[in-house]
Amino acid sequence: MVRMLDQTRLPHEVVWVDCPDHQTVAKGIKELWVRGAPAIGIAAAMGFALGARAIQAATYDDFVRQIKPIHDTLAATRPTAVNLFWALNRMDTLVQLHKDRPVEEIKERLIKEARAIHDQDIQRNVAMGGHGAKLIREGDTILTHCNTGALATGGHGTALGVIFTAWESGKRIKVLVDETRPVLQGARLTMWELQQNKIPATLITDNMAGAFMKKGMIRLCLVGADRIAANGDTANKIGTYSVAVLAKAHKIPFYVAAPTSTIDFSIASGDAIPIEERNPEEVTNVFGKVRIAPTHVDVANPAFDVTPAKYITGIITEQGIFKPGELKRTLGRKRT
């Protein structure tokens, strides 16, 4: 059994959903019960292990034949977050490496691997927080976009994890939180996490960021990532590119925080990153309930945009902080 906190119900309700099979895990990823690149990867690995556990196979070949549709179902959920594919590939590799083992042993190893992916993500986030917190000064006001806390990861968080670490070290800081239309992850989730940690925060609409920058009220921008290309171009929640351009114009440092598992060295630039197009009702309706647009309108709803490397001051990882152009040379194709 895999348990998911249904993030679509926050901040009003804390509802846990029991997922008895990999199809329910896939549904949870697709419908945003769980979201955030690292958390999606963890959920996919657990869904893979859950599906494998239910397979009845006498031989390795039969096991592999039955596990392929499980992989494919999970892989088809969300195209942009590379951690999804990274985690599934890691599970596939384990299956291949233990082809001489009994099927039941492989199943147990897959469960352990999924748990390891979860535990290692928390460790990476804590390390990332330590590196990134050095960039934050006493009294800083930091702008965030979307949600990058424990909810989006195995625990602690990426960009928001950096903020948590700085706060825990005693730095008195403030956070400006973009609401993050159309699903409002900033308003619903980031503000909720900041409240849980008692960190001073102010919610703003996405189109207010430039005005606050002009007034000199923002010292630093911190965002997460769903996929980073080899040259440092970064896909993140739609609206991130606008924040980066505004930060550049106002000479405000703009940092991306993400584990190395989010770096996709197989693509040269952000031009090759697939962008998920989501349901138009996320734009025309508020949570599918209150319609805010006329009927029969054309709607574009890309879930992500790509920020070119030239707008990014640095990328914070568990292995340190790098300029976008240093990623390939310093980290190469290494995965830890």
Side-chain angles (χ1 to χ4, degrees):
M1 184 77 71
V2 173
R3 299 197 79 203
M4 286 186 183
L5 175 63
D6 183 354
Q7 297 184 28
T8 66
R9 310 286 285 273
L10 290 172
H12 306 298
E13 297 178 280
V14 177
V15 177
W16 291 91
V17 180
D18 290 332
C19 302
D21 49 47
H22 74 277
Q23 291 96 335
T24 309
V25 173
K27 178 181 172 68
I29 296 172
K30 185 72 174 176
E31 296 186 4
L32 307 185
W33 304 349
V34 62
R35 25 67 50 208
I40 288 172
I42 293 164
M46 290 186 172
F48 190 103
L50 188 63
R53 190 176 187 180
I55 290 174
Q56 298 297 318
T59 67
Y60 174 82
D61 289 343
D62 188 23
F63 179 73
V64 170
R65 180 184 60 78
Q66 292 188 60
I67 211 165
K68 185 179 187 305
I70 294 171
H71 173 282
D72 293 347
T73 296
L74 292 162
T77 53
R78 303 198 66 189
T80 303
V82 75
N83 297 68
L84 170 69
F85 308 101
W86 169 82
L88 291 175
N89 288 339
R90 183 162 158 176
M91 301 296 275
D92 283 335
T93 299
L94 184 143
V95 171
Q96 294 163 14
L97 288 175
H98 296 91
K99 61 184 179 181
D100 296 327
R101 301 283 184 176
V103 169
E104 292 304 314
E105 182 179 331
I106 295 174
K107 291 180 183 181
E108 290 303 315
R109 286 178 179 268
L110 286 170
I111 293 171
K112 290 180 181 178
E113 188 74 356
R115 288 172 175 163
I117 288 172
H118 175 262
D119 293 342
Q120 290 165 12
D121 184 69
I122 297 174
Q123 294 167 11
R124 288 184 171 110
N125 292 341
V126 171
M128 200 183 314
H131 294 305
K134 297 173 185 177
L135 301 170
I136 297 175
R137 304 181 307 207
E138 175 73 23
D140 276 353
T141 296
I142 303 149
L143 177 71
T144 69
H145 190 77
C146 200
N147 173 257
T148 55
L151 292 172
T153 65
H156 194 66
T158 56
L160 207 54
V162 170
I163 292 171
F164 293 155
T165 300
W167 179 260
E168 290 164 0
S169 73
K171 295 177 182 176
R172 300 303 92 180
I173 54 181
K174 298 178 182 179
V175 185
L176 281 183
V177 180
D178 274 352
E179 61 178 347
T180 321
R181 282 280 293 154
V183 187
L184 302 173
Q185 294 97 328
R188 296 186 302 107
L189 307 179
T190 298
M191 284 300 295
W192 185 77
E193 288 199 78
L194 288 166
Q195 282 188 333
Q196 301 301 306
N197 287 271
K198 297 181 170 51
I199 299 175
T202 300
L203 178 65
I204 63 173
T205 63
D206 296 348
N207 56 0
M208 293 179 185
F212 281 96
M213 289 182 185
K214 184 180 179 182
K215 292 179 181 179
M217 298 176 68
I218 297 170
R219 216 282 299 178
L220 190 71
C221 297
L222 270 175
V223 302
D226 285 81
R227 189 183 301 221
I228 301 173
N231 70 340
D233 291 351
T234 296
N236 193 50
K237 185 56 58 188
I238 191 73
T240 302
Y241 172 58
S242 301
V243 172
V245 172
L246 286 166
K248 187 81 167 181
H250 291 87
K251 297 180 173 57
I252 297 171
F254 180 92
Y255 284 93
V256 172
T260 52
S261 57
T262 303
I263 304 171
D264 186 353
F265 288 109
S266 72
I267 58 174
S269 74
D271 294 337
I273 297 177
I275 300 298
E276 176 184 4
E277 186 76 21
R278 292 190 59 82
N279 191 328
E281 289 190 358
E282 290 180 351
V283 176
T284 59
N285 295 48
V286 179
F287 301 121
K289 298 176 183 177
V290 180
R291 190 172 181 90
I292 58 175
T295 58
H296 308 300
V297 296
D298 291 332
V299 176
N301 188 20
F304 306 93
D305 57 28
V306 176
T307 299
K310 66 181 180 180
Y311 294 107
I312 299 171
T313 308
I315 296 174
I316 306 165
T317 76
E318 74 275 12
Q319 296 188 33
I321 303 171
F322 305 94
K323 294 184 182 302
E326 296 175 337
L327 293 179
K328 189 171 184 179
R329 182 179 70 253
T330 307
L331 299 177
R333 296 181 181 274
K334 183 179 179 182
R335 293 290 191 208
T336 59

